[in-house]
């Protein structure tokens, strides 16, 4: 999941595993990363609905800078399987520790929220649940089915964990039939031990490849952050790896450091560099690329899905 905060508070009980880490001062953000504080009537209405239905959102838990814009349009990314993650990624602002008990009614409430908001497209993500036998895959599948029942016209995008060491988990989610399967690589292989210590780069890559093998028609998507210490050559290699797995859609955004105990920002990548990355990625064959400082996995997901379908249709027409 992409962290997007930039808050300056010290480490809190949300991240007990980070208490021993040295402080990393948070640099001042450049002008191109400044956004307005949320507060529109539509934002407040979306917030009230999430509270009324006892739903979590990654928009809040990860401190996304786009929350004001997205919630004004009633676009919220629902986070299922609780609020506490079993992993300890150094970039992420989602709470870590002892996970919550599964709520069997959560899928139904997600369906109710999607219907109430009148969404044409919804993104469902989750914390990592290494404590569960299936990593939460069954809960994802039930949530997809609940949305189909409550809002049959809504297209569904899932942003899943890696289901590491969880047999048949991926198959269960794909069988439920989401329209887009998203799993983020987050960073380059060299930085995994520091940034995603509980994950494995090539496992995540194989996961995306396997989705296409299980359902070649399903759109696949992945995202990464820049500004963590990677170099351009490494980013281009990740693009090549994703295209070898036939991933359709790539997102690239600026890493923003949630607290002084999180991974340090190596640098702020300029808008010009993001435009260059987008050009490279399109040249490598992705159907769609979103690359900008404020790009996040779910940012403009509905509009992007429409463009993704159009891009595939145009490619098929050309090939025919």
């Amino acid at each position: 999941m992409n962290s997007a905060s930039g808050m300056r508070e010290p480490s809190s009980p949300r991240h007990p595993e980070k208490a021993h880490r040295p402080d990393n001062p948070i640099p001042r953000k450049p002008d191109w990363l400044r956004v307005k504080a949320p507060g529109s009537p539509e934002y407040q209405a979306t917030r009230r609905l999430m509270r009324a239905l006892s739903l979590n959102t990654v928009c809040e838990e990860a401190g996304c800078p786009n929350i004001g814009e997205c919630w004004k349009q009633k676009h919220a990314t629902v986070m299922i399987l609780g609020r506490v993650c079993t992993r300890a990624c150094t970039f992420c602002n989602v709470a870590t520790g002892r996970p919550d008990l599964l709520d069997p009614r959560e899928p139904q409430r997600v369906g109710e929220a999607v219907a109430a908001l009148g969404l044409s497209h919804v993104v469902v993500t989750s914390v990592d649940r290494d404590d569960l036998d299936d990593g939460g895959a069954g809960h994802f599948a039930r949530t997809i089915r609940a949305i189909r029942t409550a809002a049959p016209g809504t297209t569904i995008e899932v942003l899943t964990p890696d289901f590491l060491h969880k047999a048949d988990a991926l198959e269960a989610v794909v069988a439920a039939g989401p329209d887009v399967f998203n799993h983020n690589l987050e960073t380059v292989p060299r930085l995994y031990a520091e940034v995603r210590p509980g994950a494995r780069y090539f496992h995540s890559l194989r996961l995306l490849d396997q989705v296409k093998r299980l359902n070649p028609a399903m759109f696949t998507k992945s995202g990464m952050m820049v500004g963590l210490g990677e170099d351009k050559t490494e980013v281009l290699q990740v693009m090549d790896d994703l295209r070898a797995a036939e991933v359709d859609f790539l997102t690239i955004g600026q890493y923003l450091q949630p607290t002084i105990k999180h991974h340090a920002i190596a640098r702020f990548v300029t808008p010009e560099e993001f435009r260059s990355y987008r050009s490279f990625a399109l040249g490598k064959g992705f159907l769609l690329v979103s690359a900008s400082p404020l790009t996040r996995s779910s940012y403009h997901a509905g509009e992007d899905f429409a463009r993704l379908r159009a891009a595939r249709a145009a490619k098929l027409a050309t090939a025919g």
Side-chain angles (χ1 to χ4, degrees):
M1 269 171 286
N2 282 358
S3 173
S5 133
M7 296 178 289
R8 296 179 179 269
E9 79 279 6
S11 184
S12 71
R14 286 172 60 87
H15 307 290
E17 82 291 345
K18 294 180 175 65
H20 68 282
R21 291 175 57 87
D23 291 354
N24 292 313
I26 302 175
R28 181 179 176 83
K29 289 186 286 189
D31 290 342
W32 63 75
L33 281 167
R34 300 186 185 280
V35 295
K36 292 182 179 180
S40 69
E42 296 84 357
Y43 166 87
Q44 298 295 347
T46 301
R47 187 175 186 277
R48 285 193 297 270
L49 179 63
M50 295 299 119
R51 298 292 81 76
L53 292 173
S54 300
L55 295 176
N56 302 310
T57 70
V58 75
C59 322
E60 296 170 289
E61 297 302 323
C64 181
N66 303 314
I67 188 170
E69 178 186 347
C70 292
W71 284 27
K72 184 177 181 179
Q73 301 171 34
K74 299 184 179 180
H75 294 167
T77 298
V78 180
M79 189 174 80
I80 60 174
L81 297 170
R83 300 174 62 184
V84 182
C85 187
T86 55
R87 300 280 175 93
C89 299
T90 60
F91 69 87
C92 186
N93 200 37
V94 173
T96 57
R98 185 184 297 275
D100 304 322
L101 293 175
L102 278 189
D103 180 352
R105 292 194 66 254
E106 185 176 54
Q108 178 185 340
R109 293 201 308 276
V110 173
E112 292 172 5
V114 172
L117 289 167
L119 299 182
S120 60
H121 186 80
V122 63
V123 182
V124 179
T125 190
S126 79
V127 292
D128 279 284
R129 291 299 302 261
D130 296 311
D131 59 308
L132 300 176
D133 290 341
D134 68 349
H139 204 73
F140 262 102
R142 288 187 288 274
T143 301
I144 292 167
R145 291 193 289 267
I147 296 169
R148 296 286 187 219
T149 298
T154 302
T155 51
I156 302 170
E157 180 174 329
V158 293
L159 171 55
T160 76
D162 60 14
F163 301 126
L164 189 63
H165 307 310
K166 307 297 182 182
D168 302 321
L170 176 64
E171 288 80 358
V173 178
V174 173
D179 298 280
V180 181
F181 191 104
N182 186 1
H183 174 66
N184 287 334
L185 293 186
E186 304 291 11
T187 189
V188 301
R190 178 176 57 84
L191 296 177
Y192 257 56
E194 167 62 20
V195 176
R196 297 187 72 198
R200 302 292 180 269
Y201 177 82
F202 288 104
H203 170 80
S204 287
L205 199 59
R206 283 194 299 271
L207 186 84
L208 291 159
D209 181 70
Q210 186 64 15
V211 173
K212 282 293 190 184
R213 295 178 184 274
L214 292 167
N215 185 346
M218 187 171 288
F219 288 108
T220 51
K221 177 178 175 181
S222 189
M224 65 182 302
M225 302 168 289
V226 289
L228 285 159
E230 72 294 324
D231 63 38
K232 181 179 178 179
T233 300
E234 291 175 310
V235 174
L236 297 182
Q237 182 60 58
V238 171
M239 292 180 189
D240 288 338
D241 291 344
L242 288 170
R243 284 305 300 135
E246 299 184 53
V247 170
D248 301 298
F249 185 5
L250 173 65
T251 61
I252 308 175
Q254 170 71 52
Y255 166 62
L256 294 177
Q257 185 180 338
T259 75
I260 59 174
K261 295 296 185 181
H262 282 77
H263 194 287
I265 294 177
R267 70 187 187 96
F268 292 112
V269 179
T270 66
E272 291 74 20
E273 289 175 276
F274 278 104
R275 286 193 286 271
S276 175
Y277 279 140
R278 181 177 183 275
S279 295
F280 276 114
L282 289 172
K284 291 177 183 292
F286 289 97
L287 287 179
L288 195 66
V289 180
S290 177
S292 74
L294 287 171
T295 288
R296 298 295 181 265
S297 294
S298 308
Y299 190 41
H300 294 163
E303 297 93 325
D304 284 341
F305 180 64
R307 286 192 281 269
L308 192 59
R309 284 197 292 195
R312 173 181 281 178
K315 182 177 180 180
L316 291 174
T318 301

